[in-house]
Structures are given as C-alpha cells and as structure tokens.
C-alpha cells in the first residue's frame, strides 16, 4: 500500500487486482484502493477506483454492495461531469444495466424503486444519445422476472428491433438472455439454435460461453441430446468452477447431475462450494442453488439413500433427507420474499417446478472419476409395486429344468428358488439330486460335499450316469482350487465307470459327455498351470488334446433324441473346439487357434447360446490383434459385446469396450473410440474398478477427445484420471502421457501456467528414463508454456535445459529451435538485443556445423530448411528490436541488418528448389517490405515481381498462392506509386 503514491501506481494496482480470483479478498483490496485513491486528491482517481470497486462487487458473492459506489459515482457525475474522461463516462452509463439486474436479485428492494430506476436509466440514455436497446433489454428482465408475459413479449420485441450501439450487451450475453426466454416459454430447440454461435465460439466474453453451456444442459437432456449435454457439462464446468460469482451457472451443473443419474458427482460439486449454501449477497442465485440442492437431495432420498451423509451448510453434519427438508424450506421462504415484492407467484412457481423435476436420463456416463451410485434400498413410506403371483413348486421345477437343460443364464438362481420353495416339502430323490447339484455349482469350492450328496441322490433315483457326472463336476471344481493332481486322481473312477456304463447302454451320451468334458477341463487346468508363465510339458499338452478329442468324437455325429440334447451336446462340441484353440495357442500355432476359436464361437451362436461365445470372441480378438488383423479384432470385439447382451457383467463389459476403443483408436476412428472408452470408464466404476481399469479407460478417453480437438472435455477427463494412475498399476508411461496430453489441452485453452506445470511434472518422470527424447520434448513444451504465461526467466531456463538435452541426443533441430526461442525471450528481457543476437547466431552456427558433417540427402534438406528459417527469424528479430520512437540512424541500422539476414534466408530457401517455394516467397516479401522501409522502392518492386513470377501458372485454389500474389501485388503497387510521386 505504501507504494501507491501517484495515479499510475493506483492504476497498476487496480489492474493487478482485476486479475485476482473473484471473491471477498479481491473486494477488500478494491476497498483499500479506493481509500488510497481518495488520498491522491485527483477526482478521476476516485472515479476509477469507484468503478473498479463496483466491478469486483458485481462479479462476486457480494453483489449487494455495488449500489453504494454507483450512487456515489452518479452523484459525482451530476455535480462535476467534467471530472470524467471519455472512458469513465461510458462506464458510468454501462453499469446502469448492472443496477437494474442487480436490484431484481435483491428482494428487499421494492418493485416501484426498480421501475423508477428503469425510467431513470431510459432518461439518462436519451440524454447521452444512446439507443434504447439496453433499456428495453432491462425492461424485459423486469417483466420476465415478475411473470408479466405480455409486457415481456413487447419488451423483447422492442429490444431486438432497437439498434445496437456501444451500450448494448455483447452478442454473447444478449443471445444467452434471448435463449433463456425461449426456455422459459418451453421452446428448447429455439433456445439452442439461438445459443449456437456462442457455443461454437463465434461470440465470447468474460462469462460466455460459461453461462450458455450451463443453461443448455437441461434443454439438451429434454430433447434427448444426451451426448451434447455431457460434453457441455464437462466443457462448461471447468469454466464455471473458479468463478465465485457464477453460483447460478454452478446450480445448473448440479441440476444436470440430478437429472442424469449422476447424483454422486452432484455431491462432489456441492462439496467444492460450501459457501454457496450461505452467501447472501445475491439472493436470486441463492434461490437457484438451494432449489437444485433440494432436487438432488430428494432424488437421493427416493433412491433409498436418505440417510447418506452429504455436504451442506457448515456447522453440522447433514443427511440427504435432512438437507432436503432444510433447503426446501429455505428455497420457499426466499421465493416468497421475491413473490411478496413482485405481487405475483411467478418466482415461487418456478422454484417448486425446479425442485420437483423428474430425472430425464436414468444414467448418463460422464467419463470422469466419480464415486459410483450406492446400491439403492427400499424407501420407507413409498408405494411398493404389486408383486407378480408366486409360482408353485411344480412350476418352479419345470422352469428350472428348462433353463438348465438349455444352458440358459440364471439357471442356478432358478434352482435356488426351487430349493427355497421346497423347504419342508417331500420331494423325489431325482428332484433333491438336481437341487443339490445346482447348489453345489453355486457354492463353488465350498460345495464339494454337495456334489457327492447329489451323486448319492442320483444313484438313489436310478440314474448312475448323472451320479458319475456330479462326481466329475466336483473333481473339476477341486482343480479350480489348485488341487489338480487330486482332481485327476478323483476323476479316474467316474471316467472309467461312465465309459463302461455307456458301452453297456447303461447311460446316455449326455451323461457320458459331461464326465469326459469334466476330465478334459481338469487336464486343461494342468496345461494352464498355476500362473500364465508356467510352461506345460509335451505330455500335458498331448494328454489334454487326447481328452478333448475324445469328447468331440463322442458328441459329433451322434444321433440326438431331441432339441434339449442338441443344445447340451452342441455346447460340448463348441467348448471342445475352444479347448483345441487354447492348446494351439500353447503350441504357438496362432493361425490354427484363430480358426478354432472362430468355429467355437459360431457353434455357440448356432446353438442359440451366444453368451457363451463372448469369451472366445474376446480371445479371438486378442490373437487377431497380435497377428496384425485389426479388422478381425474389431469384428470379434463387436461380436462379443453383441453376444453378451444383457448377460455381460460389468467387469467383462468394461474390458471389451476398452479393447474395442483401443482397436478403433489405432485405426484412426477416435470419435467412435471415445464412445467405447466412455462406456469402459462407466462400467469400470460400476464394477468397483474405477481406480484401476477405470483410470486406464479415462486415460484413453482423454486421448481420444484430445485427437478430436475437444480440449476442455479432454482436460476434465484427464485431470480426473490422474489421481488414480500409478506407476505400479498402470506404468509411469501412462502417467507421463496423461500429463503430456493434459498440458496440450491446457495450452489450447490458454491456461499456460497450468500447462507448464503439467509438462514439467511429466518431464521430471521422463528424466529418469534411459531414452531421453521424451524428456527433451517435454522440457521444450514446458518452456513454450512458460513463455506464453509471461514467465520469461523460467521459460529461458527450461529452453536451456531442453537445448542441452537436444544436444546430447544429437537433435540439431530441437537445439536450434530452443536457441531461437531463447533469443526472442532475451529481446524482451533485460539482457536485450546483444544476447538475442548471440543466441540467433549460435542457432545459425549449429545448423551450418551439422551441414558440414551430414551426407544423408534428406537430412541435408531438412537442415537447410532449418537454416533458412533461422535466418528469417533473425531478420524478424532485428527488425522488431528498435522502437518506433528511436532515432532514424538506429532504425536504419537495424533494418539493414534485418534485410541482410532475410536476404540470406531467401538464398537458402532458393537452394531447396520448388519444394520450398512458399517459404522462399514469404522471405522474399519480408525482404521487399524492409527494402520499402529503407526507401528503396525499385529493389522492393523487383522482389515483388520475383514473387509473382514464381507463381505464374500456379493453382489459384491454393490459399497460400492467393495470399502471396495479393501481398506481392500490394507491395508492387505501393512501390510504383511511390516511384511516380518521386
């Protein structure tokens, strides 16, 4: 504060404060600066300080404070208008609009006062000669706020009909307000059409497209355009997040979460902004926020999560149910204050409608890291849907047998239902055997004793074949626990016995095939070993293959008694083909494995069992990818997802989507790849694998979004992936790549300091890698970001680091570019022109030295081009090194040196022939303009004619050709006119 002793220091301090984050700290600083301004005894200083204070209040949670400085400004204007300069006169009239909208948001200000203020605004604008456009816009705001639809429509039409002038809001803000009116009139499509130029970046401002993106979320969901809504949420929330004044837009994002099945993310948003529950400076945005909190809490309660702890007003813990009650009361009380002031029920009606909305999408995956929705529980007091009539035991048995005989999903569950219904009921031995058999299957290793019990009951029921099949299943389950030798010993007796029975017609193909398949499965477990690294012996492979072929010999070509047996035995045959495929993989015959897996999959589908084909299509995809048949890999993965249908569990679905995303991404189809990566991230979260598989899916999704130029969405996803990525699970390469991509996104978004941080973090990891090219590249990119962030010293240091790395790698191009960048930085820094010259000269020396020792023609071409660009940049640097107010001799000398370097660039580029015609003509024109500045019109004209000659007969459709010709003609015309005048 002691440094503010003059007006310039005050202005610098206000400019610095304007760059600070919105909030009370910035407001407090503005108040201090006003006090300092008053000490300067300069009326304009006080006026500017008041304007600064008013602006920071308007863009903060303390919006209610802006009326006092404005009243003082207006009084100063009325008393001494000569104290205001042109800019402050404009600013004073501009902020009239803030006053009218600000008053609407304060329910304690009477409506009559607002109407009076509107009239004052109209009068003042007329006196100043301004269009009535801004006045009619303000009138529309008043009418629409109170629900006077007829007046709002008239004001809306008058607003659009009035001429735009310097008092009109920017195009982006106007379109936002116009679109919101269409939404209020239930014309969502029309709103989105109005907002399109803002969404596409044609019109922007400090708070747009922030608010348009937020406002578009619910309309997009209502129109069924969920993918666009997701993109707008990811893109828009990162714009709104750091801006304290945008509570209303923040509320739109919370509402989106509640309406799209993303309640967990909604809670995360609430946790980020605890002050939004109690900030009182802008009651209107507070009403918006509290109403969507109520919506979210009611939704959680409806899902049976009313007792879940949730973020709320500080000072106590809240459950969703408690917070829902609290915020509804607060919302309605606040709405009542507005309605009492307005004399209508419009605000309250809108708040109730907003709180009582129903979800528009059951679940919309966002791709970002978020806690999965907890399992729902019954909600006390809610209506329970009428239950379907229970089936009797006979019907349950019939259904269970149908499902198990045809190998349908949920057959085991059907038998468990039979078991529950049969408690206390006398059943036949056959029924009890089937129940025990399926209970054993359900329990896995814990059901071994039940398999034996089932065998005893099948024997009692007179079906020895099924008894041996049950014992064989038990042996296989034992193998699954790792007891392979014991399993092989156990299955010997069932195997020998069932073959003897079958030879005597004592049992059927089905029972015999079941035993033989169990034995084959046990032998396949031995082939697979205890870990993937285990290498099976030749004897193991031969024994397993013999067992599989024995199954196939039994089931293939058998006369089958009916459809049920057809399905069972067809499944055995398909599984046998898959086992042979696995053995082929173990033997290194991948082409045969691909063919056999394909046969197995087809056989399952033909048998009406497509869900069994999923595993083998997935295996087939992996092998095809390994063999370079990417098209077949894609087909197999799509088939696996299709065949799995609703029966795929979340982990498997996540894996398949992720594999397909990677295949599609490798084929350059990043848009479709992103869709599958998004699904992979969603299903990973559903499977509880968000920190592992989900993080990798988000990593991939971010990369695919980046390829499409969707920078904000990609940044949000990549930032979400980083906390879960670890070197142990995903590899440090994934972390570096994610940081790298994120740096690229942030750079494109203009967040250069953050981009530099990400690139430096990635470079620090890559520093320890044996191969240092990535380290050098990241250091170079970080330097670029630091330069854009106006941190020249840090940028120079990073470029120097990158240059050392490029030199150690023998990469002359990287080294030269780092030297050129440092030269430009030096020109702007204290070291000035001498250091800049030294660095540019060093870059030229590096190019020339490399050319002396390089024999490869292609490398020489590239190095020659690099040399030409260095001379060209050296010329530009020299030309820009002198200020306009410098003495003529200094300017003359700088331009002569610049011309010499630029002319050298022309010569170097000319040596590259027709392939470098554009770079040569660009340098030629630059030299021509320097000739013109040095008052050498004839030489400049000669260069212009040379450029035109270079493009004789060239394609007019080439944009560069057209631009060069136009510039050359302009230069030539100017020089000819100058010569004529002389």
């Amino acid at each position: 504060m002691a440094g503010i002793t003059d007006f310039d220091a005050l202005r610098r301090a206000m400019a610095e404060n304007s760059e600070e984050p919105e909030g009370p700290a910035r407001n407090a600083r503005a108040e201090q600066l006003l006090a300092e301004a008053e000490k300067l005894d300069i009326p304009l200083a006080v006026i500017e300080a008041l304007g600064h204070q008013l602006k920071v209040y308007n863009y903060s949670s303390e919006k209610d404070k802006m009326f006092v400085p404005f009243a003082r400004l207006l009084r100063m204007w009325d008393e001494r208008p000569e104290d205001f300069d042109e800019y402050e006169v404009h600013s004073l009239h501009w902020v009239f609009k803030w006053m009218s909208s600000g008053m609407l948001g304060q329910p304690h200000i009477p409506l009559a006062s607002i109407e009076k203020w509107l009239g004052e605004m109209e009068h003042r604008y007329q006196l100043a000669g301004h269009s009535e456009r801004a006045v009619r816009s303000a009138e529309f705001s008043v009418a629409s706020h109170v629900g006077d639809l007829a007046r709002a429509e008239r004001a809306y039409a008058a607003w659009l009909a009035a001429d735009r002038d310097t008092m009109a809001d920017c195009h982006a803000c106007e379109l936002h307000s116009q679109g919101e009116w269409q939404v209020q009139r239930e014309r969502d499509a029309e709103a989105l059409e109005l907002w399109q130029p803002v969404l596409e970046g044609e019109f922007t401002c400090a708070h747009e497209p922030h608010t348009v993106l937020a406002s578009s979320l619910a309309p997009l969901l209502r129109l069924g355009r969920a993918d666009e809504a997701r993109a707008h949420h990811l893109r828009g929330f990162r714009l709104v997040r750091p801006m304290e004044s945008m509570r209303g837009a923040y509320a739109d994002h919370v509402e989106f979460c509640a309406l799209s099945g993303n309640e967990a993310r909604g809670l995360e948003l609430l946790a980020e902004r605890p002050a939004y529950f109690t900030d009182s400076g802008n009651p209107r945005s507070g009403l918006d926020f509290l109403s969507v909190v109520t919506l979210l809490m009611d939704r959680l309660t409806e899902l049976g999560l009313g007792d879940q702890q949730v973020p709320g007003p500080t000072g106590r813990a809240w459950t969703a149910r408690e917070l829902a009650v609290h915020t509804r009361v607060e919302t309605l009380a606040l709405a009542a204050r507005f309605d009492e002031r307005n004399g209508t029920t419009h605000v309250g009606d809108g708040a109730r409608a907003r709180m009582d909305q129903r979800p528009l999408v059951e679940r919309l995956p966002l791709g970002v890291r978020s806690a999965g929705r907890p399992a729902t529980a019954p909600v006390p007091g809610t209506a329970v849907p009428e239950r379907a009539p229970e089936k009797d035991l006979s019907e349950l048995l019939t259904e269970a047998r149908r499902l198990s005989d045809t190998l349908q999903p949920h057959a085991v569950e059907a038998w468990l239902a039979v078991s529950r219904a049969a408690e206390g009921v006398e059943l036949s031995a056959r029924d009890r055997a089937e129940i025990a058999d399926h209970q054993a299957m359900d329990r896995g290793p814990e059901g071994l004793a039940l398999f034996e019990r089932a065998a005893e009951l099948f024997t009692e029921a007179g079906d020895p074949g099924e008894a041996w099949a049950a014992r064989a299943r038990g042996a296989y389950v034992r193998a699954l626990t790792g007891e392979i030798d014991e399993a092989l010993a156990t299955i010997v007796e069932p195997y020998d016995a069932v073959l003897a029975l079958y030879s005597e017609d004592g049992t059927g193909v089905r029972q015999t095939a079941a035993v033989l398949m169990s034995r084959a499965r046990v032998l396949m477990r031995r082939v697979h070993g205890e870990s993937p690294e285990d290498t099976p012996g030749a004897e193991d492979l031969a024994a397993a293959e013999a067992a599989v072929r024995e199954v196939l010999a039994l089931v293939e070509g058998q006369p089958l008694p009916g459809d049920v047996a057809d399905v069972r035995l067809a499944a055995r045959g398909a599984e046998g083909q898959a086992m042979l495929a696995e053995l082929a993989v173990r033997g290194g015959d991948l082409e045969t494995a691909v063919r056999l897996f394909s046969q197995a999959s087809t056989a399952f589908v033909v048998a009406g069992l497509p869900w069994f084909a999923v595993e083998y299509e997935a295996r087939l995809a992996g092998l095809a990818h390994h063999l370079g048949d990417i098209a077949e890999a894609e087909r197999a993965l799509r088939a696996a997802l299709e065949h799995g249908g609703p029966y795929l569990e979340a982990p498997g679905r996540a894996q398949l989507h992720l594999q397909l995303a990677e295949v599609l991404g490798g084929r350059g189809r990043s848009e479709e790849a992103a869709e599958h990566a998004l699904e992979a991230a969603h299903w990973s979260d559903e499977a509880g694998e968000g920190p592992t598989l989900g993080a990798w899916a988000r990593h991939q999704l971010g990369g695919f979004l980046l390829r499409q130029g969707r920078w904000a969405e990609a940044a949000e996803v990549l930032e979400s992936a980083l906390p879960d990525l670890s070197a142990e699970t995903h590899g440090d390469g994934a972390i570096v790549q994610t940081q790298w991509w994120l740096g690229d996104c942030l750079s494109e978004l203009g967040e250069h300091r953050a981009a530099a941080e990400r690139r430096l973090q990635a470079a620090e990891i890559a520093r320890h890698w044996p191969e240092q090219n990535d380290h050098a590249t990241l250091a170079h990119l970080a330097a670029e970001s630091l330069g854009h962030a106006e941190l020249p010293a840090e940028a120079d240091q990073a470029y120097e680091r990158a240059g050392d790395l490029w030199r150690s790698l023998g990469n002359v191009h990287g080294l030269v570019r780092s030297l050129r960048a440092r030269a430009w930085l030096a020109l702007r820094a204290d070291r000035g022109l001498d250091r800049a010259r030294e660095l540019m000269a060093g870059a030229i020396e590096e190019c020339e030295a490399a050319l002396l020792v390089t024999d490869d023609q292609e490398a020489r071409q590239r190095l020659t081009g690099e040399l030409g660009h260095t001379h060209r940049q050296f010329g530009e640097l020299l030309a820009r090194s002198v200020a306009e107010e410098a003495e003529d001799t200094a300017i003359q000398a700088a331009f002569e040196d610049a011309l010499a370097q630029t002319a050298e660039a022309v010569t170097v580029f000319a040596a590259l022939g027709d392939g470098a015609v554009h770079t040569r003509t660009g340098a030629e024109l630059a030299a021509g303009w320097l000739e013109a500045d040095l008052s050498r019109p004839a030489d400049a004209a000669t260069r212009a004619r040379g450029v035109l000659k270079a493009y004789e007969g060239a394609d007019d459709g080439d944009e560069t050709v057209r631009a060069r010709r136009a510039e050359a003609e302009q230069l030539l015309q100017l020089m000819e006119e100058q010569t004529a005048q002389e």
Side-chain angles (χ1 to χ4, degrees):
M1 296 296 294
I4 300 178
T5 57
D6 56 47
F7 201 172
D8 287 340
L10 176 70
R11 282 174 165 166
R12 285 195 299 272
M14 289 190 295
E16 291 170 2
N17 195 43
S18 293
E19 298 301 315
E20 293 298 311
E22 295 178 350
R26 187 172 74 156
N27 296 353
R29 176 62 172 154
E31 292 161 5
Q32 292 173 337
L33 291 174
L34 175 60
E36 290 295 313
E38 290 169 337
K39 297 175 185 177
L40 297 177
D41 196 27
I42 302 174
L44 185 58
V46 175
I47 291 167
E48 290 188 12
L50 284 167
H52 173 65
Q53 188 183 76
L54 197 157
K55 180 178 180 180
V56 299
Y57 284 155
N58 185 58
Y59 295 117
S60 78
S61 61
E62 299 178 312
K63 205 176 181 79
D64 54 335
K65 288 186 175 181
M66 67 181 180
F67 303 109
V68 172
F70 181 74
R72 184 176 173 187
L73 272 173
L74 193 59
R75 185 172 65 251
M76 292 174 72
W77 165 255
D78 288 338
E79 293 173 355
R80 291 181 55 84
E82 64 273 16
D83 289 341
F84 289 68
D85 63 14
E86 183 178 354
Y87 178 81
E88 292 304 326
V89 171
H90 177 274
S91 296
L92 177 70
H93 286 80
W94 181 268
V95 296
F96 262 95
K97 300 179 294 182
W98 294 358
M99 294 304 106
S100 59
S101 63
M103 289 179 178
L104 280 176
Q106 304 291 333
H108 68 278
I109 298 179
L111 190 61
S113 297
I114 298 172
E115 293 285 6
K116 180 181 178 182
W117 188 259
L118 187 61
E120 179 75 9
M121 177 182 174
E122 183 170 13
H123 174 65
R124 300 265 184 171
Y125 272 41
Q126 287 174 347
L127 288 177
H130 295 306
S131 164
E132 68 169 7
R133 188 178 183 93
V135 178
R136 298 285 76 83
S137 173
E139 181 188 5
F140 162 77
S141 297
V142 173
S144 60
H145 172 76
V146 302
D148 187 342
L149 301 185
R151 182 187 181 192
E153 289 284 12
R154 292 194 302 273
Y156 184 86
W159 167 22
L160 268 61
D163 293 335
R164 281 188 58 82
D165 66 352
T166 57
M167 282 298 114
D169 282 341
C170 76
H171 282 289
C173 289
E174 282 203 333
L175 288 172
H176 176 238
S177 298
Q178 291 162 18
E180 286 212 308
W181 175 240
Q182 301 305 318
V183 171
Q184 189 174 337
R185 303 299 288 149
E186 299 183 352
R187 297 190 286 254
D188 289 338
E190 289 85 343
L192 289 163
E193 186 175 350
L194 277 169
W195 288 333
Q196 203 59 33
V198 183
L199 295 170
E200 292 177 351
E202 182 180 347
F203 301 125
T204 61
C205 70
H207 288 76
E208 293 296 353
H210 313 42
T211 56
V212 163
L213 285 164
S215 297
S216 71
L217 296 172
L220 284 169
L221 289 178
R222 285 194 291 267
L223 291 170
R225 293 158 63 176
D227 288 343
E228 291 175 72
R230 176 199 302 113
H232 287 197
H233 170 63
L234 295 178
R235 178 182 162 202
F237 183 66
R238 64 181 297 107
L239 294 174
V240 170
R241 180 188 279 134
M243 304 183 78
E244 185 206 43
S245 64
M246 303 197 74
R247 179 164 58 176
Y250 202 98
D252 290 339
H253 286 278
V254 176
E255 177 185 50
F256 163 81
C257 293
L259 297 177
S260 64
N262 286 286
E263 298 85 3
R265 180 165 171 84
L267 293 177
E268 292 171 2
L269 267 56
L270 297 186
E272 287 191 30
R273 285 290 189 181
Y276 276 176
F277 285 96
T278 53
D279 283 344
S280 58
N282 186 0
R284 177 64 227 193
S285 72
L287 176 63
D288 292 334
F289 183 75
L290 291 172
S291 63
V292 300
V293 172
T294 306
L295 170 68
L296 179 59
M297 295 305 121
D298 281 350
R299 178 64 180 150
L300 289 169
T301 304
E302 181 182 346
L303 290 170
L305 304 170
D307 294 327
Q308 178 175 325
Q309 293 289 309
V310 295
T314 56
R316 58 158 290 186
W318 295 90
T319 65
R321 186 178 292 105
E322 291 167 340
L323 187 58
V325 173
H326 170 77
T327 52
R328 183 174 287 274
V329 169
E330 291 289 309
T331 300
L332 293 176
L334 193 48
R337 290 176 58 200
F338 279 105
D339 285 343
E340 183 180 3
R341 190 269 304 273
N342 299 338
T344 68
T345 63
H346 184 68
V347 173
D349 292 343
R352 290 182 184 87
R354 193 169 197 183
M355 290 188 290
D356 295 340
Q357 292 177 95
R358 301 300 305 153
L360 297 169
V361 180
E362 177 59 28
R363 189 74 188 269
L364 177 62
L366 301 179
V368 292
R369 177 176 181 257
S370 182
R373 181 195 290 176
T376 58
V379 184
T382 58
V384 177
E386 185 177 345
R387 297 179 61 180
E390 293 189 5
K391 298 178 180 178
D392 61 27
L393 181 56
S394 174
E395 291 174 314
L396 289 172
L397 272 167
T398 301
E399 178 68 5
R401 286 196 176 106
R402 183 188 68 81
L403 292 174
S404 58
D405 285 344
T406 56
L407 301 177
Q408 298 296 306
H410 310 308
V412 171
E413 290 87 337
W415 280 105
L416 292 177
V418 170
S419 176
R420 289 191 294 270
E423 291 179 5
V425 178
E426 188 69 29
L427 293 175
S428 68
R430 177 77 190 193
D431 294 341
R432 285 181 287 136
E434 290 182 88
I435 292 172
D437 198 25
H438 286 89
Q439 284 178 330
M441 295 179 201
D442 180 55
R443 296 184 186 179
E446 297 177 1
L448 286 173
L450 279 172
F451 278 120
E452 185 59 35
R453 175 62 180 154
E456 292 171 357
L457 289 168
F458 277 125
T459 301
E460 183 183 335
D463 192 341
E466 279 296 346
W468 291 121
R471 290 190 173 97
R473 284 190 282 272
Y476 174 56
V477 169
R478 175 162 288 179
L480 292 176
T481 67
E483 299 177 2
I484 298 176
D485 290 337
E486 294 84 346
L488 283 171
T490 303
I491 208 166
V492 169
E493 185 181 6
Y495 173 71
D496 291 338
V498 84
L499 286 178
L501 274 174
Y502 181 65
S503 67
E504 299 168 357
D505 292 330
T507 192
V509 174
R510 174 176 169 178
Q511 292 79 3
T512 307
V515 175
L516 296 187
M517 181 55 78
S518 291
R519 179 172 176 271
R521 288 171 177 169
V522 172
L523 288 165
M524 287 297 294
R525 291 299 299 175
R526 168 164 280 182
V527 167
H528 288 299
E530 294 184 4
S531 69
E533 292 77 21
D534 289 347
T535 302
E539 290 183 10
D540 295 329
L541 291 169
E545 182 176 354
V548 173
R549 293 196 180 281
E550 189 176 16
V551 174
L552 293 173
L554 175 67
V555 301
E556 290 176 353
Q558 283 280 350
L560 303 174
D563 290 342
V564 170
D566 287 350
V567 173
R568 281 273 185 176
L569 296 180
R572 301 294 186 208
E575 187 178 353
Q577 296 286 353
M579 287 175 167
L580 291 178
E582 291 285 0
L583 292 169
V585 171
R586 288 285 177 169
D589 187 355
L590 302 188
E591 287 81 2
T592 297
V594 166
R595 175 175 55 79
L596 290 169
F597 273 131
S598 180
Q599 290 175 3
S601 176
T602 301
F604 275 123
V605 174
V606 169
L609 305 169
W611 47 89
F612 284 110
V614 172
E615 177 184 352
Y616 306 118
E617 291 285 12
R619 292 283 285 121
L620 176 56
L623 290 172
H625 198 280
H626 179 77
L627 292 169
D629 190 347
I630 308 303
E632 174 61 12
E634 179 186 340
R635 183 213 62 76
L637 289 167
R638 290 187 187 280
L641 283 166
E642 179 185 353
H643 295 331
Y647 306 113
L648 262 178
E649 293 185 353
R653 193 179 294 274
Q655 288 277 8
L656 289 171
H657 277 296
L658 185 55
Q659 290 174 46
L660 183 53
E662 291 172 345
V663 167
L664 292 167
R667 305 190 77 182
R669 289 150 62 182
S670 57
E671 188 168 341
E672 190 178 1
E675 294 173 6
H676 286 282
L678 174 67
E679 289 294 322
H682 167 68
W683 289 109
S684 297
D685 291 341
E686 290 292 304
E689 297 183 15
T692 51
L693 187 63
W696 182 255
R698 279 182 263 281
H699 160 83
Q700 294 282 7
L701 174 59
F704 296 137
L705 291 170
L706 177 141
R707 291 187 202 175
Q708 298 172 58
R710 294 159 68 175
W711 314 113
E713 295 169 66
E716 195 74 8
V717 170
L718 292 168
E719 286 172 344
S720 173
L722 270 173
D724 289 327
L725 289 172
S726 68
E728 296 76 20
T729 302
H730 306 94
D732 56 8
I735 300 173
V736 168
Q737 184 63 79
T738 302
Q739 297 275 28
W740 193 329
W741 282 337
L742 183 52
D744 291 347
C745 292
L746 295 171
S747 179
E748 293 288 344
L749 294 168
E751 300 175 34
H752 298 298
R753 188 184 291 262
E757 291 174 2
R758 295 301 186 181
R759 288 167 167 173
L760 287 170
Q761 288 166 1
E764 182 59 25
I765 298 173
R767 182 170 67 89
H768 303 286
W769 293 355
E771 208 289 317
Q772 288 288 284
N773 192 71
D774 285 342
H775 182 199
T777 304
L778 285 162
H780 199 113
L781 290 171
E784 287 183 4
S785 295
L786 290 165
H788 288 306
E790 302 299 328
L791 297 168
E794 292 85 346
D796 182 73
Q797 185 178 1
Y799 275 125
E800 186 174 16
R801 175 186 175 188
D804 291 342
L805 290 165
W806 291 130
R807 189 186 300 278
S808 70
L809 291 166
N811 188 321
V812 179
H813 299 277
L815 173 59
V816 167
R817 289 168 190 176
S818 67
L819 288 168
R820 291 200 307 243
R822 292 180 66 198
W824 285 105
L825 287 169
L827 184 66
R828 300 202 305 266
D830 294 338
R831 287 170 289 180
L833 180 58
D834 289 342
R835 180 59 174 157
R837 281 177 176 270
E838 181 184 333
L839 289 162
M840 277 293 186
I844 289 173
E845 290 172 5
E846 294 291 347
C847 286
E848 291 174 340
L851 280 166
L852 289 174
V853 298
T854 302
D855 295 326
D856 180 84
Q857 190 57 36
E858 184 178 347
R860 289 188 64 82
Q861 288 282 102
R862 289 186 62 223
L863 281 168
T864 302
E866 200 72 75
L867 177 61
H869 287 298
T870 305
H871 279 297
R872 172 75 190 274
Q873 284 200 33
F874 201 171
E876 291 178 13
L877 181 144
L878 292 167
R880 296 183 191 180
S881 66
V882 288
E884 291 183 6
E885 62 272 15
E887 294 182 3
D888 289 347
T889 54
I891 295 174
Q892 177 89 6
F895 281 12
E896 290 284 5
D897 289 348
L899 178 59
Q901 292 292 338
T902 309
E904 188 62 32
V906 173
T907 302
V908 173
F909 287 137
L912 293 174
D914 293 341
V917 64
H918 291 333
T919 51
R920 179 178 69 79
T921 55
E924 192 86 71
L925 287 168
W929 290 112
L930 285 167
E931 302 271 22
D933 289 333
L934 290 166
S935 301
R936 299 170 187 168
D939 293 339
T942 298
R943 292 192 183 277
R945 292 189 188 97
V947 171
L948 292 173
K949 183 175 179 59
Y951 289 117
E952 285 180 356
D955 180 13
D956 282 335
D958 187 315
E959 185 178 344
T960 304
V961 171
R962 292 198 307 273
R964 292 282 193 274
R965 279 176 172 162
E967 187 178 351
E969 288 167 354
Q970 179 190 15
L971 177 60
L972 182 60
Q973 182 180 349
L974 286 171
M975 294 305 97
E976 289 175 344
E977 290 174 357
Q978 185 175 331
T979 301
Q981 289 173 359
E982 291 175 354

